[in-house]
Amino acid sequence: MSFADLGLSDELLRAVGDTGYTEPTPIQASAIPPVLMMRDIIGIAQTGTGKTASFVLPMIDILAQGRSRARMPRSLILEPTRELAAQVAENFETYGKYHKLSMALLIGGVQMGDQVKALEKGVDVLIATPGRLMDLFGRGKILLTGCSMLVIDEADRMLDMGFIPDIEEICTKLPAQRQTLLFSATMPAPIKKLADRFLNNPKTIEVARPASTNINITQWVVPVKGPSFEKRKALRALLGQEEVRTAIIFCNRKTTVRELNKSLREHGFSSGEIHGDMDQPARVAELERFKKGDVNILVASDVAARGLDVKGVSHVFNYDAPWHPDDYVHRIGRTGRGGATGVAYTFVGPDDAENIDNIEKLTGQKIARIAEVPAASERTEEAPRRERSGRRRERVVEEAPRVEAREEAPRAQPREEAPRRERTRRDRDERPRGGRERERAPVVVEAADDGGWNGPVPDFLNVGLRY
Ligand code: AMP
């Protein structure tokens, strides 16, 4: 199938052609035609599947008819984080380059003045995080009665972040006659409830088993017996391998992000950090440094786990095994994107044992344990940026076994669906979920027959990628 089969306008096809993408991804092929027919959609798809374009492309064509009015945006896209909102905006710029649509980004952590000015002029597309939108709404700066299209993206993430009450309120402020698209990697009960209440006869499209990991990612568990300095030592040894070109290192806590980045820098690594305590300009700047290659290591909290679209990340390290098993899938999905291969290491110390158990249950795969972490050795001229102390790292282990194709891997048992506790806005930091909540493991493993985009690498991925 080609993009031309989907019913998109010539201008859009030209913009898509400019990106080098030749074939729609499965979510694009399934979602674009019904969205163009004004259907409501539930898209069960992870980031990395091409889902952003699956709503951005038809939206551009739909919005091409009609005009914006002051303070009344014509469409609204809700994103859980500022980074994701900024990425969707980038998508609009890329695909909308032959259209004259106006767009405003309404996100926390940046000055409100310019955002308000843009809104007052009138915009076709408003991309917002729920908190900032509610703020502005409360000040009477915005009217949602002209909004005939609503996208709720990463709904399960919104749930984790305590945004569902805000979203419900926002939905009631939009006209009843509208088109609503909801995307989520998983469908826990509160999201189903939200969909039942606010979507009208939606078409459900599912492209990948939510709990599945990408088969292009080689996964390792790195057992660590002792305290945190042992983890750091093992991490430094693995980071020193020649093949580690770029890496994202995930930690469960913001304090760990800061401490680890400091420690890595002291050891001469070229690293930066990103977490929820940083203001927006600092986060954007740090991400840019990583994207441009000024630093090749980014230490991150889960705020960066979903949706960050950085090309060519060769390695992901879970310095801590994530508390929530579905975060594992999202974290390691920052590598192996767009058909490339990637490697993910997860450090498992005494505190991580329960978390890795839950991850393996969810993904239905036993992750290979690394036999031995190499000792760091002297640095050579070829690897100058890695370490000031001048130690070169050796290759760690023999070839890692690829994680088996999903079809062969034992599947995690679908679990009874238990409602996630909806975290309040006050809760919305990055602290661990409570023990009881963890036990309830809310993720539902849904089987998909088509394998989605995380199945074997389809041909379309081998061409025209911007790596
Ligand atoms: P997303 O799931 O929207 O975060 O997209 C993941 C990545 O896939 C992004 O780098 C997109 O630019 C890329 N992408 C989107 N559509 C296609 C396509 N049809 N072919 C190849 N890559 C794509």
Side-chain angles (χ1 to χ4, degrees):
M1 179 180 285
S2 77
F3 279 102
D5 301 323
L6 301 179
L8 297 167
S9 67
D10 290 345
E11 291 90 339
L12 265 185
L13 292 178
R14 195 141 61 94
V16 171
D18 292 350
T19 66
Y21 303 149
T22 50
E23 263 185 66
T25 66
I27 183 81
Q28 292 162 3
S30 311
I32 291 172
V35 177
L36 285 174
M37 286 188 266
M38 313 304 286
R39 284 284 304 265
D40 281 7
I41 297 281
I42 296 176
I44 305 175
Q46 293 168 259
T47 56
T49 54
K51 80 172 157 60
T52 316
S54 80
F55 60 85
V56 168
L57 289 171
M59 275 180 87
I60 292 172
D61 265 351
I62 291 169
L63 294 167
Q65 331 288 329
R67 273 235 179 106
S68 59
R69 287 160 59 191
R71 282 198 292 161
M72 291 176 76
R74 297 172 61 209
S75 66
L76 171 65
I77 300 173
L78 293 172
E79 292 290 336
T81 65
R82 310 157 193 183
E83 282 77 14
L84 278 164
Q87 267 172 32
V88 172
E90 271 176 31
N91 268 255
F92 263 99
E93 271 161 16
T94 306
Y95 299 122
K97 65 199 236 195
Y98 299 117
H99 286 81
K100 288 197 184 85
L101 294 178
S102 57
M103 174 177 75
L105 199 56
L106 209 53
I107 51 178
V110 290
Q111 291 281 324
M112 231 190 243
D114 290 347
Q115 301 177 357
V116 172
K117 264 188 221 147
L119 273 174
E120 276 170 357
K121 272 199 221 147
V123 292
D124 297 300
V125 187
L126 177 62
I127 305 165
T129 48
R132 178 52 70 98
L133 182 69
M134 291 301 291
D135 243 23
L136 230 67
F137 197 84
R139 294 168 196 222
K141 299 278 184 202
I142 185 168
L143 277 172
L144 295 174
T145 44
C147 207
S148 57
M149 245 188 137
L150 170 68
V151 178
I152 305 167
D153 196 17
E154 303 263 335
D156 51 353
R157 193 61 167 179
M158 301 274 203
L159 176 67
D160 278 350
M161 297 175 83
F163 280 140
I164 296 300
D166 285 351
I167 291 175
E168 286 175 345
E169 202 178 330
I170 291 165
C171 282
T172 61
K173 300 188 187 312
L174 266 74
Q177 282 293 325
R178 60 157 195 269
Q179 186 177 16
T180 310
L181 317 176
L182 181 143
F183 291 89
S184 194
T186 56
M187 281 300 275
I191 300 298
K192 280 208 186 96
K193 224 171 99 196
L194 183 80
D196 288 346
R197 186 162 162 214
F198 292 109
L199 274 71
N200 178 19
N201 185 26
K203 183 176 166 68
T204 300
I205 297 163
E206 183 176 350
V207 295
R209 202 158 55 107
S212 61
T213 49
N214 184 335
I215 60 162
N216 295 326
I217 304 169
T218 306
Q219 300 170 61
W220 289 104
V221 159
V222 185
V224 185
K225 286 199 194 79
S228 56
F229 74 81
E230 294 226 4
K231 261 193 188 177
R232 291 206 291 267
K233 206 167 121 195
L235 174 68
R236 291 197 297 272
L238 291 168
L239 280 174
Q241 297 171 104
E242 289 301 315
E243 61 265 34
V244 181
R245 297 184 310 276
T246 47
I248 301 182
I249 305 171
F250 286 105
C251 307
N252 288 355
R253 293 182 178 81
K254 292 177 258 195
T255 44
T256 319
V257 171
R258 283 191 287 259
E259 285 163 16
L260 183 61
N261 183 32
K262 188 162 169 263
S263 157
L264 287 172
R265 298 188 71 79
E266 280 167 8
H267 281 83
F269 286 91
S270 170
S271 63
E273 66 185 47
I274 183 167
H275 54 74
D277 269 358
M278 294 159 68
D279 64 19
Q280 180 64 2
R283 278 156 76 164
V284 169
E286 202 65 355
L287 200 59
E288 274 310 300
R289 287 202 317 138
F290 183 61
K291 281 185 174 172
K292 285 205 311 238
D294 295 347
V295 294
N296 71 324
I297 296 168
L298 187 65
V299 189
S301 65
D302 277 299
V303 100
R306 292 206 188 201
L308 276 197
D309 185 22
V310 184
K311 304 278 185 278
V313 174
S314 71
H315 287 66
V316 164
F317 292 85
N318 291 310
Y319 184 76
D320 304 301
W323 289 306
H324 233 357
D326 50 341
D327 280 341
Y328 176 81
V329 179
H330 291 280
R331 285 182 181 187
I332 72 166
R334 299 312 97 210
T335 181
R337 285 171 84 73
T341 56
V343 182
Y345 290 105
T346 302
F347 294 90
V348 176
D351 290 348
D352 303 288
E354 188 189 336
N355 298 345
I356 198 76
D357 252 23
N358 289 336
I359 289 164
E360 291 182 330
K361 269 188 213 139
L362 173 78
T363 58
Q365 298 164 335
K366 184 88 181 152
I367 305 167
R369 266 60 180 166
I370 201 167
E372 200 187 332
V373 179
S377 55
E378 287 308 303
R379 186 181 68 164
T380 57
E381 283 310 303
E382 295 81 59
R385 71 198 289 201
R386 294 256 160 78
E387 200 168 8
R388 204 198 300 142
S389 60
R391 275 170 288 166
R392 182 172 66 94
R393 271 67 200 209
E394 279 160 6
R395 273 193 70 99
V396 185
V397 272
E398 327 74 75
E399 273 299 281
R402 274 278 142 76
V403 171
E404 278 155 46
R406 191 160 68 216
E407 287 69 24
E408 278 110 54
R411 285 204 169 170
Q413 287 301 308
R415 299 189 196 158
E416 271 303 299
E417 231 179 287
R420 274 179 213 222
R421 181 175 70 86
E422 288 193 23
R423 294 167 74 200
T424 62
R425 278 167 83 186
R426 239 173 293 119
D427 278 349
R428 214 179 290 146
D429 58 5
E430 289 148 278
R431 65 187 169 79
R433 283 98 173 170
R436 204 197 292 148
E437 194 184 342
R438 256 185 288 156
E439 277 161 36
R440 283 200 267 140
V443 179
V444 185
V445 180
E446 297 185 41
D449 300 329
D450 61 6
W453 202 22
N454 280 342
V457 189
D459 284 346
F460 72 82
L461 285 179
N462 293 324
V463 290
L465 279 170
R466 293 182 293 164
Y467 276 92

